Amino acid sequence: MLRGVRSDVARAMVRSWSGQWMGCEPEETAATQFAISMGILLTDPAKVPNFSLPEGGNQTLTDVLAADLGDRLRLNSPVRSVEWTDDAVVVDYADADGPARIRARRAIVAVPADVAVKIMPGLPPAYRAAFEDIRYGRYVVVGYFTREEGPQRWDDHIAVSTPQLSFQAMFNHAAAQRGTGPRTPGGALACFAGGAAADRLFALTDEEILDRFTADLLSLCPS
């Protein structure tokens, strides 16, 4: 994708898009996948709404499910293993009272691939090999709650690409509420760094990352 591109700024922008949208570098993914993902990223918002989410965000969906499940839902209960026989599934986990076990007829295991191979020792070799081949993007994200009283220069921006800062994009999560009535105080901003930019940041402490992101955010959006 970058072959023949001589502009350092253009190359930095493409790498920035890849990092913050996919969590990887352009060379780390298939060219077709890269082109499709970037096409979605750059699609006209009039054709693909950027905020086609339930009011309150995606968390609303899990809140409704949790309310429906009631006492049947186990939270803060990390699973140690999932094993199965011909007629049952056994899930060993731990909660505030210590080790526990649940037996069920079926189980839907929805976890990242690296977790799946740890908690399911009985996976067939082909499945295990497939999970072990999966590589995830990596991200460093810092969120800020703001306390401004009046309109700000970022109110009309959903996101700003920042390829030459320590983070690659700044998202204004309060943008969906602007222009729909009186401007309420405060907001929320999130800064993303992905791919190689995230790899470099992983060598720093949380405090160092926060200081670096904050300084760059203030240079972008002076208080």
Side-chain angles (χ1 to χ4, degrees), residues 37-55:
S37 295
M38 292 303 102
I40 295 172
L41 167 65
L42 301 173
T43 297
D44 184 350
K47 298 177 182 178
V48 181
N50 287 290
F51 288 98
S52 53
L53 299 172
E55 183 174 350

Side-chain angles (χ1 to χ4, degrees), residues 1 18 22 24-37:
M1 297 296 292
S18 176
M22 302 174 67
C24 67
E25 297 302 293
E27 300 85 359
E28 295 177 323
T29 186
T32 300
Q33 179 61 49
F34 181 86
I36 291 173
S37 295

Side-chain angles (χ1 to χ4, degrees), residues 131-152:
F131 281 130
E132 290 175 342
D133 281 344
I134 294 174
R135 297 292 181 269
Y136 292 103
R138 54 275 190 207
Y139 288 97
V140 173
V141 184
V142 176
Y144 300 85
F145 289 106
T146 59
R147 295 180 292 180
E148 74 277 5
E149 295 293 331
Q152 299 295 317

Side-chain angles (χ1 to χ4, degrees), residues 2-195:
L2 293 174
R3 186 178 301 165
V5 177
R6 298 182 179 180
S7 167
D8 290 339
V9 173
R11 296 176 69 87
M13 287 183 65
V14 173
R15 291 192 179 281
S16 176
W17 293 339
S18 176
Q20 64 92 5
W21 190 249
M22 302 174 67
C24 67
E25 297 302 293
E27 300 85 359
E28 295 177 323
T29 186
T32 300
Q33 179 61 49
F34 181 86
I36 291 173
S37 295
M38 292 303 102
I40 295 172
L41 167 65
L42 301 173
T43 297
D44 184 350
K47 298 177 182 178
V48 181
N50 287 290
F51 288 98
S52 53
L53 299 172
E55 183 174 350
N58 287 332
Q59 182 67 35
T60 304
L61 300 175
T62 54
D63 289 344
V64 170
L65 289 172
D68 286 346
L69 289 171
D71 293 339
R72 291 177 294 170
L73 180 66
R74 307 291 200 278
L75 295 176
N76 299 314
S77 304
V79 171
R80 302 287 177 81
S81 68
V82 179
E83 300 187 69
W84 56 91
T85 63
D86 291 339
D87 59 354
V89 179
V90 178
V91 179
D92 285 310
Y93 67 97
D95 58 20
D97 297 323
R101 172 172 288 182
I102 288 179
R103 294 179 62 87
R105 286 179 295 177
R106 298 180 180 87
I108 298 174
V109 181
V111 297
D114 56 331
V115 176
V117 297
K118 292 179 181 178
I119 66 174
M120 294 193 288
L123 279 173
Y127 284 71
R128 177 172 293 276
F131 281 130
E132 290 175 342
D133 281 344
I134 294 174
R135 297 292 181 269
Y136 292 103
R138 54 275 190 207
Y139 288 97
V140 173
V141 184
V142 176
Y144 300 85
F145 289 106
T146 59
R147 295 180 292 180
E148 74 277 5
E149 295 293 331
Q152 299 295 317
R153 65 181 67 192
W154 59 80
D155 282 354
D156 295 330
H157 299 289
I158 296 170
V160 178
S161 183
T162 57
Q164 295 176 306
L165 301 182
S166 54
F167 49 87
Q168 297 155 330
M170 183 274 286
F171 290 87
N172 174 19
H173 291 286
Q177 297 180 338
R178 308 308 182 203
T180 58
R183 199 229 191 255
T184 55
L189 304 174
C191 300
F192 285 71

